[in-house]
Structures are given as C-alpha cells and as structure tokens.
Amino acid sequence: MTAMNTPTPEYDAGFNTRAIHAGQEPDLRTGAVVPAIYQVSTYKQDGVGGLRGGYEYSRSANPTRTALEQCLAALEGGGRGFAFASGLAGQDTVIRALLKPGDHVVVPADAYGGTYRLMNKVALPWGVEHSIATISDVEAVRAAIRPGQTRIVWVETPTNPLLGIADIAALAVVAHEAGAILAVDNTFATPYLQQPLALGADLVMHSTTKYCGGHSDVVGGAVVTAKTVAVAGLEDAEERIGFHQNSMGAIAGPFDAWLVLRGVKTLGVRMERHCDNAEKVVQFLQGHRAVTAVHYPGLSTHPGHDVATRQMKRYGGMVSFQVGGGEQQAVDVCGATQIWTLGESLGGVESLIEHPARMTHASVRGTELEVPADLVRLSTGIEDAEDLIDDLDAALAKSVG
Ligand SMILES: *Cc1c(COP(=O)(O)O)cnc(C)c1O
C-alpha cells in the first residue's frame, strides 16, 4: 500500500519504467506486484487520530487511487496528481478551485464540446466569463486575454476533431505575462507523446477514459499540477485542487482507478502502435480520390506541423478527413465500416469512426465552434493496419456507389 502522504517519488527512470512502477511498490505484507483494489470506505485508526499511512475515509484518499495519482504525476513530471470520476469532473474542479465569479478564461475555438458546455452553461452562470480564441494563433490568444481578469488560458493540443496544434511553450509565456496560468488538456497526446509541464504549463488535465485507460472500459479523469506554480495568487493551486477534490468528492472509485492504472502500464507501447497505424491510414487516405482533405499533424502540409514536431514525440492516433460527397457521404462512410466501430469516445485499442457534426460536436452546431459537415473522425486503434485500411477502402467505395 502506498502511503497517502508520501510525496510523489522522484523517478529519473524512463517513461515506461515509471508507467509500470511509479506509485506501485509491491505490497509490503504479501509482495503482490500489482496494487490491490482497496474497495473500502473507512480505515481502522490506532487510537483516535492514529492513521495508518494517512488514510481515514476514501473520499479523502484511497490507496488504489493514491497509486494512480502518484503514477500520473510521475508520468507528467508534476508535483501532485488527482484522479477524478471523469475528465469533466476534473475540469470542473479546476474551474471551481482556481476561479471565482468575475474571473475570465480563454477557451480554445475547437475545445472539447463538454469543456465548452462546462464553460458556457455552468461556469458562466456562476459568473466566470470566457472568450474563445483560435489556440493555434498565439497573437489571437494574447488579444483574447483580459489583463487583470484572465486567470486561466486553457489549451487543448492536438484539438478535436480538426487536430489543430497549439504552441505550449509560447502560450505559457503569454499566459504568465498576463498573470494567468496555462492549463493543458493533454488527453489526445498523453504524457508519452507530450509533456506540457516541461514546456511551461502549470497544470495538465486528462480524460483517462481515452488513451490512459486505453481499453474503452472505464470513465475517469485526472489533473496533475506543476511542481511550482509561479503565478501570483495561484501558487497554492495544488492545495486548492486537493481541497476541492475532497470537498466536492468527484473522485475516481477504487476499481476505476485500478483499471486506469492497469491501462497506463502499456501506454507507451500502445501509443507507438496507434501512431504507426495512424500514419499508414493517413497515407492511404491521401491517395484516395474521394478524400478532399486529411487532417494529421504529422503531415508536412499541416499548419501546425513544425510546432508539433518540436513539442511531440510522434503525432498520435487521431486522424480526421473530409470527403468530396459532402455530409451524406461522410455519414455513409461512418455507417459502412466493419472493423472501425461507429461510436463516440477515442483512445481505445479498438478503432472507432464517427461523424463529429452529428455526434460528438452536435451540440456546437450553429456556434463559433461548428465543425465541417463533410468531416469524418478516426480514432486509430492497434489492430493490423492492413485490415483497417481495407475496411476504410470498402466503406469509401460503398459510400460513393
Ligand atoms: C473525452 C474528453 C474530455 C471529457 O472527459 P470525460 O472523461 O468524458 O468526462 C475532455 N477533454 C477531451 C479532449 C476529451 O476527449
């Protein structure tokens, strides 16, 4: 069992070693190499206040969750990790812990739809305002900042579903100059491909539902804070997030924490395979006559290619493309694949296909965040690339016919 109050150990080991061992010492009593699922609400105290390892009640802390939190902090190179019931629960905690009514946030123009809904329908009525900016344009972000009022510059990179790239290091400078923190949703890239804290970000958020869990069997979220936050008034971001996590209680349960921890062990090998397959799929799509545009940061023609090359190890498993036959063809392709499963979400071992305009991004139709109707989004899984390509080829042929 990992003691709750043990600081995140300093691991100078490589990424995969950290993924498999950080926060996961073999059990002291039995030697079990995998952390147990501590399905428990309360803990015996050795005399009043005599806590063993700091555990008193599982909303405050639970050993399985601690193991995951320490592992994620080690993978992101952060000071402390926090695991939540979902990605949005973590984001809600960030907003409520670090902001107060009257504060302002800069939000990416193609933010995850649920993030935008949280800003627009929950934070805004509470009094936290936001401006939308094209996050790939550093000057547009600078212009959207309200000096003295903006407290968070929110970044997603790559973005969903158009795979836009934001320059994390440049935006960290812009945010800090204005007295704001830079918060990065690292769900698409994962800490394996991109380490925002090392580039100057102050906190990282994840939907662990996606690549960190990686097997489409759990909903979860995480927040990792930087070792030091140097923005005036937000130096205590870590304590505030910890306080709100306990006060509001949107924690990851023991079994969900365990599933994510299990998924994280193979994150590095899975991401390599996701990237290999995505690159092959992109190559196929580029050569197809029905495809009018392919969006992938690994393409030298992608507007964010140079920045992506600087800040990412590889370019990830997400791909989107547009078709010449418009919305109907895009919808038809999504309905015609056999191996690519039609569904929302992303980042699992199985390949998924979807139509953003009618599915994941239906709620932003008619707003500034609207996505093209002829767009298809792919979450490339780790099946055999040849099968994935054959399946797409057949679906495209059917959709044209
Ligand atoms: C899915 C997702 C979220 C929300 O996470 P949930 O686990 O569904 O609450 C946030 N950001 C991005 C980029 C996502 O893909």
Side-chain angles (χ1 to χ4, degrees), residues 86-89 91 112 115 156 160 185 187-188 207-210 219-221 346:
S86 69
L88 286 177
Q91 296 190 355
Y112 174 72
T115 300
E156 245 180 84
N160 177 18
D185 183 332
T187 299
F188 270 40
S207 168
T208 54
T209 313
K210 316 295 169 51
V219 171
L346 59 109

Side-chain angles (χ1 to χ4, degrees), residues 35-199:
I37 303 169
Y38 283 89
Q39 193 68 46
V40 64
S41 61
T42 192
Y43 305 82
K44 174 182 162 57
Q45 304 192 4
D46 297 320
V48 174
L51 306 184
R52 301 182 190 177
Y55 295 97
E56 57 185 356
Y57 183 64
S58 280
R59 172 163 35 69
S60 313
N62 171 283
T64 316
R65 196 173 94 223
T66 302
L68 173 62
E69 291 175 333
Q70 293 200 346
C71 183
L72 291 174
L75 293 182
E76 290 285 5
R80 203 170 146 197
F82 302 92
F84 292 92
S86 69
L88 286 177
Q91 296 190 355
D92 178 56
T93 299
V94 167
I95 292 169
R96 288 207 258 177
L98 304 187
L99 301 175
K100 59 183 186 321
D103 287 345
H104 175 258
V105 184
V106 176
V107 181
D110 42 4
Y112 174 72
T115 300
Y116 180 68
R117 183 175 56 200
L118 188 59
M119 293 291 176
N120 202 34
K121 299 274 172 73
V122 180
L124 186 59
W126 180 49
V128 169
E129 297 172 17
H130 63 266
S131 301
I132 289 168
T134 303
I135 212 81
S136 56
D137 179 348
V138 176
E139 291 316 311
V141 173
R142 197 194 300 275
I145 288 176
R146 297 183 191 164
Q149 197 192 352
T150 303
R151 299 301 273 154
I152 299 182
V153 173
W154 195 285
V155 169
E156 245 180 84
T157 182
T159 62
N160 177 18
L162 287 167
L163 289 313
I165 298 292
D167 186 334
I168 296 171
L171 291 173
V173 172
V174 167
H176 293 158
E177 275 172 6
I181 61 163
L182 188 76
V184 178
D185 183 332
N186 205 26
T187 299
F188 270 40
T190 81
Y192 181 70
L193 297 178
Q194 173 173 284
Q195 309 242 309
L197 301 179
L199 294 165

Side-chain angles (χ1 to χ4, degrees), residues 141-283:
V141 173
R142 197 194 300 275
I145 288 176
R146 297 183 191 164
Q149 197 192 352
T150 303
R151 299 301 273 154
I152 299 182
V153 173
W154 195 285
V155 169
E156 245 180 84
T157 182
T159 62
N160 177 18
L162 287 167
L163 289 313
I165 298 292
D167 186 334
I168 296 171
L171 291 173
V173 172
V174 167
H176 293 158
E177 275 172 6
I181 61 163
L182 188 76
V184 178
D185 183 332
N186 205 26
T187 299
F188 270 40
T190 81
Y192 181 70
L193 297 178
Q194 173 173 284
Q195 309 242 309
L197 301 179
L199 294 165
D202 302 284
L203 65 87
V204 169
M205 299 164 288
H206 281 282
S207 168
T208 54
T209 313
K210 316 295 169 51
Y211 287 106
C212 288
H215 295 74
S216 307
D217 54 9
V218 62
V219 171
V223 176
V224 178
T225 49
K227 286 177 183 153
T228 44
V229 173
V231 172
L234 291 170
E235 299 92 340
D236 59 347
E238 178 180 307
E239 291 74 38
R240 287 208 229 173
I241 290 169
F243 177 80
H244 276 73
Q245 183 195 40
N246 184 39
S247 302
M248 301 197 281
I251 49 160
F255 184 50
D256 287 356
W258 187 88
L259 282 170
V260 175
L261 195 57
R262 180 187 220 249
V264 160
K265 287 177 194 282
T266 55
L267 183 61
V269 287
R270 282 188 286 109
M271 291 315 291
E272 288 291 345
R273 179 64 168 261
H274 283 297
C275 293
D276 287 345
N277 282 358
E279 285 171 12
K280 290 177 188 160
V281 165
V282 163
Q283 202 176 6

